[in-house]
Amino acid sequence: MIEAGANHSRLSERSATGIAGLDEMLRGGLLRGSAVLVEGAPGTGKSTLGMQFIHHGATVAGEPGLILTFEMFPRHYYRDAANFGWDFPALEAANKLRVVMSSPEVTRADLQSVSGRLEAQAHQIGARRVLVDSLSHFERLTNDPVELRQMVFEFINGLKRMGLTAILTRENPALLGETANLEEDLAFVVDGYIMLRYVEIASAVRRALLILKLRGSDHANDIRQYEITSRGIDVRARFEGQQGIMSGSPVSTAAEAFIQAFGRKR
Amino acid sequence: MIEAGANHSRLSERSATGIAGLDEMLRGGLLRGSAVLVEGAPGTGKSTLGMQFIHHGATVAGEPGLILTFEMFPRHYYRDAANFGWDFPALEAANKLRVVMSSPEVTRADLQSVSGRLEAQAHQIGARRVLVDSLSHFERLTNDPVELRQMVFEFINGLKRMGLTAILTRENPALLGETANLEEDLAFVVDGYIMLRYVEIASAVRRALLILKLRGSDHANDIRQYEITSRGIDVRARFEGQQGIMSGSPVSTAAEAFIQAFGRKR
Amino acid sequence: MIEAGANHSRLSERSATGIAGLDEMLRGGLLRGSAVLVEGAPGTGKSTLGMQFIHHGATVAGEPGLILTFEMFPRHYYRDAANFGWDFPALEAANKLRVVMSSPEVTRADLQSVSGRLEAQAHQIGARRVLVDSLSHFERLTNDPVELRQMVFEFINGLKRMGLTAILTRENPALLGETANLEEDLAFVVDGYIMLRYVEIASAVRRALLILKLRGSDHANDIRQYEITSRGIDVRARFEGQQGIMSGSPVSTAAEAFIQAFGRKR
Amino acid sequence: MIEAGANHSRLSERSATGIAGLDEMLRGGLLRGSAVLVEGAPGTGKSTLGMQFIHHGATVAGEPGLILTFEMFPRHYYRDAANFGWDFPALEAANKLRVVMSSPEVTRADLQSVSGRLEAQAHQIGARRVLVDSLSHFERLTNDPVELRQMVFEFINGLKRMGLTAILTRENPALLGETANLEEDLAFVVDGYIMLRYVEIASAVRRALLILKLRGSDHANDIRQYEITSRGIDVRARFEGQQGIMSGSPVSTAAEAFIQAFGRKR
Amino acid sequence: MIEAGANHSRLSERSATGIAGLDEMLRGGLLRGSAVLVEGAPGTGKSTLGMQFIHHGATVAGEPGLILTFEMFPRHYYRDAANFGWDFPALEAANKLRVVMSSPEVTRADLQSVSGRLEAQAHQIGARRVLVDSLSHFERLTNDPVELRQMVFEFINGLKRMGLTAILTRENPALLGETANLEEDLAFVVDGYIMLRYVEIASAVRRALLILKLRGSDHANDIRQYEITSRGIDVRARFEGQQGIMSGSPVSTAAEAFIQAFGRKR
Amino acid sequence: MIEAGANHSRLSERSATGIAGLDEMLRGGLLRGSAVLVEGAPGTGKSTLGMQFIHHGATVAGEPGLILTFEMFPRHYYRDAANFGWDFPALEAANKLRVVMSSPEVTRADLQSVSGRLEAQAHQIGARRVLVDSLSHFERLTNDPVELRQMVFEFINGLKRMGLTAILTRENPALLGETANLEEDLAFVVDGYIMLRYVEIASAVRRALLILKLRGSDHANDIRQYEITSRGIDVRARFEGQQGIMSGSPVSTAAEAFIQAFGRKR
């Protein structure tokens, strides 16, 4: 939301996601070394967005990447990536990608060793990017929000020390609209916050993307439509003529309704 | 939501449900080997949808099927299926169907043996499909959402190892609209998510179907009407002129209201 | 909601309630041997509907009936029935009715003996119908929703084994609109579900009836007005020109508002 | 809601409240021997309504009355009654009224002795009416809703055995609109239910009265305005042109709004 | 809400607050010896209203006053009062005011001694008014709502025995609109209830005052605007053309909107 | 909200924030020695506002400042400040700024030593301003709201004894609209309360600023838009034609909608 012309971060400081519309909203990409939360309901494409960021880094931007997963097997990522035409096994063979799976039973104490493995892999391939899929797994390690916050804070600081630019996914259990309360406050710990939401418009469910926070950088503040295509996430135009989009159940503006009923004024 | 032309999954990879409108929305059927959640309030026809999927597999698609139930007796399924003209005892006799009933008192520890029985039956008839009716039963085995998720995750992986395409029903206690919070996050574990909902329109209660997620495949994103007829589920046109359908209490769009009051513009 | 012509249940399989409008909505009455939940707030007439079903069975349909109560004394039913012109003592004398009162302190363990008494009475008069008033009493026997569901499931199966068609009332603590969550999920256990609701329209409180579920049968899906008259429940026309009836606080449709203000279009 | 002509209760069976508009809504008054709940927020006039019922009984209807209080001292009732011109000390002197105060620390075990004192007083003056102010006090004796319900049920039955017609007040903590859940379900135990509510209309707070339930009798179902005047409760006309009155924040009907803006159609 | 002409309380029985608009709404002021709750969110001016009542008593009405505080030091009141031009130290010197500070750690057991100190001070200066700032402090002494109510009830009765007219402030944690539930029910214990609220209108936040209850007296029932000026609280006209003011987010009435858009009808 | 002309606080008593629009809303700046809460969701710019206040004091107003942080390292502030062109290391070198970091594990007992360090640093540079970033950290030290309130109260009093004017940030977990309940009541303890909010308007997310409370001073009461520019916070005009801004999902006023559809009346 920093004004045009005020954008003093050089593009060379940016890690482009490879999603054209999103990179434009981000004014070029993620700030190198930042950690950005991508949150959404099931099926909104959080992991896809993250994989696309990793794939773009490994194939176009010359930034090898890591994927840290706690539940899904590497082959799941291979298969899902293949759906979008991304050849993850080839990237692994070329030392441009590592998929690191941690046991879903990992405890808080184990986190150190997870970080160790991550660092070793990062070193091997000279990784510059990481996808943590998902941060929700951390939430299952403790019921104490203070401990959770500190744990995530330390983990993210670890990623930064490794020189990684990070996308961290987070599952949002609300299908439409907001949860009443984000008690873990993880959004305060990260450098950026991208929200993916379902929105019901005209008897169909659309997807909406919003950048709510981007520390140290300007960003677009409009709510954009996006699609999951055969080539990955495609961010498109903003919504028009709707009120309350972030509630998931927007209504047409009255002006829009008049126009639909009576035609546009000339 | 993957764009037209982008649909690179071959139809031969699909297990059609036999519900024409739904198969069209799914771009041919469920992906083979996927596990899809069908969620809805009492009376929305979750089990009927699942039985139709099993019946179509056994009679048309050459894919024998299993039904796993925790509460209802096999004869209940025979009777309910008969209401739709589906002869389940005949299919059992022809080794194209098995209804496997697990005790409602099954514990988490017993799940392994349930899986064993399921696998044995699957092997006997060469099953390719399964209906798990309902996943809600798993929710009663533990109050720990992390344990529940892992349990369901493992169970589903077991089904996949058996080569089964699965429909898993889940009871939604909210009659109209959404529950505030899906704390078990089961929707993150499955490959697809189909929602069945009641919707009040024009002083009557209609039924709405929505595909919210379908991993690795394009799907329709509109909210469709459906009916439970004497031949099973019948998916019809999308709703028109309504806002907030997923809330269960939509309102007419203002444009629709003008049109109803003043007639359509020419 | 099964389509016209699809109604393959013979009328001889139906137990008419004797409430004309409701029987029409039910396509002739309750399916013999089914158990139907009637839910509503205080004063909506749940017990009246149930007594009318029992009275009609005993006097017109040749189906003697039982009333099982946990709190109200038989004389309360006699008095309330008398208000509608139904002579319950005479029916008892004629062996066409039994009112069975169980202590409100009945425990889960006692339920078996309650069932025993019920069965004995059913046998004595050849009962075909039963009113359980109210199922809410079961909810007070346990705080464990799993145990509750199983208990009710078994109890209902017991009624079916006795060959009884059952109406089970359930108290809904919400005066207007829905409770947020039906955690006991009893609606999943029964064969049918009839909702009675208060609705505020035009500065008065009306009553609304809706059939939400009817296993194995077609049924009307509109929301009907009803009154409690001196002859019992009287189900009337559907509501017109209202949106959000089931919320208890509907609003006029915009079309209706235009019409009221400007007159109907010709 | 029983239809006109259907009102088979004789007026001689009624205990008039002395509030003309309310008696009309009740079709003559409370049924003798019934127990009616009067619920409302602070300042809605529950106690005033109850005192008026007692005063009318003692001075006009020849039915002496009791007031049972758990918190306020008798002198508080004398003073409040005097505000309306009701001379309670004189009625006590004439053996037409007794104000019985129970300690606020009364336990469940003490309830029996409270009933004993009540019965003794009732006998002394030949009481036919009672005001219990307030039933909310019972709610403080137990946190177990089942125990509470049974306790209130027994207490009310005790009042009926004494031949008393009862008004029981109940405090509603919600200032505007409904509480989400009436978990104690006391409304199921009583014979009638009168709701007093605050309603914001045209930048002022009005009072609304509604009879929601009246066992064994017809009653008006409209939502009426009332005022607390120097002569007590005065029930007036129904509200007009408002939707959602019971929510406490009604909106003008659209028709009403058109009329206010453009004038009434001729 | 008692009708005009019905106002049988003599003005000599009133303690004017010195806030002209409020005294008019109160029909002259608080009834002597009554205890009135003033509730509002932070910054709504509860303490200011109370201090103005005390200042008016001490300087104009010949009624010396006490301020009982549990958290703020006397010098805080001096400073805040000075902002409005009220010289509290001079009033203390003239024996027309006492600010009594109780430790924030006061326990329930200590309350007796607090009352003792209060009574001693009241005796010294012949106090007739008291400001208790704030009653919220009592809520921190116990988590048991029954105990709280009794404690406050006794405390208020103590104030009445001392012959004091009391304003008791209470903090409302909701910034806009109502809290869902006033579980402590303190509003039932006091004689009057004045609500201070924030209201968003036309992209600004206004303040609203409403008298909800005033035992034994008529009062205005409209919702008035007020400002905090350099001379204290200033109560002004009622709001116009707004619906749902007490929710904190009112909307213009439709009639108002038509008028704004098309001009007033002539 | 004190009226024009009533502003008796001299400007010399004000600490300007350096944010022109905010200083105008504050009638010149914060009152010296006051403690003001700045609350907002992640990304609303709470810390930026606080750093700007500190920077303006150190560079323009001749008031050196402190920053107390519990989680972020001083270098984080240097980097974030540099984004706005503020050279914090130079200010530290010139003894006009100190960034004091307390361990995130600080306990309640440690608070005294934190205050000691703060006081020592304040003395060294003659600090007149302090930014506490964030007060939310105190909320993590106790679950007892009474203890929290007292702890914050004492801490703030300590700051005042040091002669500091304070901005205290607080994280608001609700992204849009209000949290239901501010149970800690911290807003009652501070002298001023500034709210930062996200607001969805015309398919984009804007930022809104509101001063809700400012003890001892007049302030603007309108809801203003603001941006985070490359030079810090920029407070702009109020919102126009919106209702319910503080809910986060305002709707256009009906008047606005008519104007948009039909043009402004002439």
Side-chain angles (χ1 to χ4, degrees), chain E residues 26-95:
Chain E
L26 292 165
R27 311 305 185 222
L30 304 185
L31 279 180
R32 287 193 204 289
S34 67
V36 171
L37 192 64
V38 174
E39 189 196 62
T44 47
K46 295 175 301 297
S47 302
T48 302
L49 191 154
M51 289 192 295
Q52 193 160 357
F53 167 73
I54 293 296
H55 181 259
H56 185 78
T59 58
V60 176
E63 301 190 343
L66 302 171
I67 295 176
L68 175 63
T69 167
F70 295 89
E71 195 174 71
M72 275 180 31
F73 291 96
R75 62 182 155 87
H76 290 144
Y77 287 94
Y78 297 166
R79 184 199 59 198
D80 288 356
N83 277 330
F84 299 105
W86 304 329
D87 190 343
F88 273 17
L91 290 176
E92 286 222 311
N95 276 332

Side-chain angles (χ1 to χ4, degrees), chain D residues 105 140 171 200 207 236, chain E residues 1 3 149-150 245:
Chain D
E105 284 94 3
R140 292 184 204 115
E171 300 171 353
E200 180 191 326
R207 290 179 167 97
R236 300 180 176 176
Chain E
M1 246 165 260
E3 294 181 319
R149 182 165 169 156
Q150 200 174 326
I245 296 168

Side-chain angles (χ1 to χ4, degrees), chain D residues 40-43 46 71-73 76 79-80 82-84 104-105 134 140 171-176 179 198 200-207 226-231 234 236 242 249-252 257-263, chain E residues 1-3 6 8-9 146 149-150 153-154 157 160 178 180-183 185 187-189 191 193 195 197 210 212-213 215-217 219 221-223 238-247 251 253-255 258-259 262 265:
Chain D
K46 295 175 301 297
E71 196 173 71
M72 274 180 31
F73 291 96
H76 290 144
R79 183 198 61 197
D80 288 356
N83 277 329
F84 299 104
E105 284 94 3
S134 72
R140 292 184 204 115
E171 300 171 353
N172 184 332
L175 288 183
L176 289 176
T179 50
Y198 288 118
E200 180 191 326
I201 296 180
S203 303
V205 170
R206 313 291 186 82
R207 290 179 167 97
Y226 71 95
E227 302 279 336
I228 305 180
T229 74
S230 62
R231 295 173 311 277
D234 186 13
R236 300 180 176 176
Q242 300 290 329
S249 296
V251 292
S252 297
F258 289 129
I259 289 164
Q260 281 183 27
F262 303 119
Chain E
M1 246 165 260
I2 296 183
E3 294 181 319
H8 44 289
S9 303
V146 179
R149 182 165 169 156
Q150 200 174 326
F153 185 74
E154 284 168 16
N157 277 336
K160 292 182 175 181
E178 287 311 300
N181 217 339
L182 296 172
E183 52 178 319
D185 290 2
F188 289 101
V189 174
D191 299 307
Y193 188 6
M195 294 168 69
R197 289 291 182 271
L210 170 67
L212 203 52
K213 173 181 177 179
R215 212 178 262 162
S217 169
H219 62 85
N221 66 0
D222 45 358
I223 305 174
R238 64 154 66 190
F239 291 88
E240 295 290 348
Q242 300 290 328
Q243 289 180 133
I245 296 168
M246 297 309 290
S247 74
V251 292
T253 57
F258 288 128
I259 290 165
F262 303 119
K265 67 184 150 157

Side-chain angles (χ1 to χ4, degrees), chain B residues 19 21-22 25 38-49 52 175 194-199 205-211 222-229 232-239 245-246, chain C residues 1-3 212 221:
Chain B
I19 301 165
L22 179 59
M25 292 177 77
V38 175
E39 189 194 64
T44 48
K46 296 174 302 296
S47 301
T48 302
L49 190 154
Q52 193 160 357
L175 288 183
I194 298 174
M195 294 167 71
L196 306 181
R197 288 292 181 271
Y198 288 117
V199 181
V205 170
R206 311 291 186 79
R207 290 179 168 98
L209 181 151
L210 169 67
I211 304 174
D222 44 356
I223 306 172
R224 297 271 182 91
Q225 301 187 58
Y226 71 95
E227 302 279 336
I228 305 180
T229 74
I233 303 282
D234 186 12
V235 174
R236 301 183 175 172
R238 65 153 67 190
F239 290 88
I245 296 167
M246 297 309 290
Chain C
M1 242 165 265
I2 295 184
E3 294 181 320
L212 203 54
N221 67 1

Side-chain angles (χ1 to χ4, degrees), chain E residues 40-44 46 71-73 75-76 79-80 82-84 104-105 134 136-137 140 170-176 178-179 198 200-207 226-231 234 236 242 249-254 256-263, chain F residues 1-3 5-9 39 145-146 149-150 153-154 157 160 178 180-183 185 187-189 191 193 195 197 210-219 221-224 238-247 250-251 253-255 258-259 262 265:
Chain E
T44 47
K46 295 175 301 297
E71 195 174 71
M72 275 180 31
F73 291 96
R75 62 182 155 87
H76 290 144
R79 184 199 59 198
D80 288 356
N83 277 330
F84 299 105
E105 284 93 4
S134 69
S136 302
H137 221 84
R140 293 184 204 114
R170 184 164 180 262
E171 300 171 352
N172 184 329
L175 289 182
L176 289 176
E178 287 311 300
T179 50
Y198 288 118
E200 179 190 327
I201 295 179
S203 303
V205 169
R206 312 290 186 81
R207 288 178 168 99
Y226 71 96
E227 302 280 336
I228 305 180
T229 74
S230 63
R231 296 172 310 277
D234 186 13
R236 300 182 176 175
Q242 300 290 328
S249 297
V251 292
S252 297
T253 57
E256 182 71 20
F258 288 128
I259 290 165
Q260 281 182 30
F262 303 119
Chain F
M1 246 166 258
I2 296 184
E3 294 182 320
N7 205 342
H8 45 288
S9 302
E39 189 196 63
V146 180
R149 182 164 169 157
Q150 200 175 325
F153 185 73
E154 283 168 17
N157 277 337
K160 291 182 175 183
E178 288 310 301
N181 217 337
L182 295 173
E183 52 178 320
D185 289 2
F188 290 100
V189 175
D191 299 306
Y193 187 6
M195 295 167 69
R197 289 291 182 271
L210 170 67
I211 304 173
L212 202 53
K213 173 181 176 179
L214 199 61
R215 215 178 260 165
S217 168
D218 179 25
H219 61 85
N221 67 0
D222 45 357
I223 305 172
R224 298 270 183 92
R238 64 153 69 189
F239 290 88
E240 296 290 348
Q242 299 290 329
Q243 290 180 132
I245 295 167
M246 298 308 290
S247 74
V251 292
T253 57
F258 288 128
I259 289 164
F262 303 120
K265 67 185 148 155

Side-chain angles (χ1 to χ4, degrees), chain B residues 42 71 83 105 140 171 173 175-176 198 200 202-205 207 227-228 230 236 251-252 257-258 260-261, chain C residues 1-3 6 8 146 149-150 153 181 185 187-188 210 212 216 221 223 238-239 243-246 254 258 265:
Chain B
E71 196 174 73
N83 276 329
E105 284 93 4
R140 291 182 207 116
E171 300 170 354
L175 288 183
L176 288 176
Y198 288 117
E200 180 190 327
S203 304
V205 170
R207 290 179 168 98
E227 302 279 336
I228 305 180
S230 62
R236 301 183 175 172
V251 291
S252 297
F258 289 128
Q260 281 183 30
Chain C
M1 242 165 265
I2 295 184
E3 294 181 320
H8 44 287
V146 180
R149 183 165 167 154
Q150 200 175 324
F153 185 73
N181 216 339
D185 290 1
F188 290 100
L210 170 67
L212 203 54
N221 67 1
I223 306 173
R238 66 154 66 190
F239 290 88
Q243 288 181 132
I245 296 167
M246 296 310 289
F258 289 128
K265 66 184 148 157

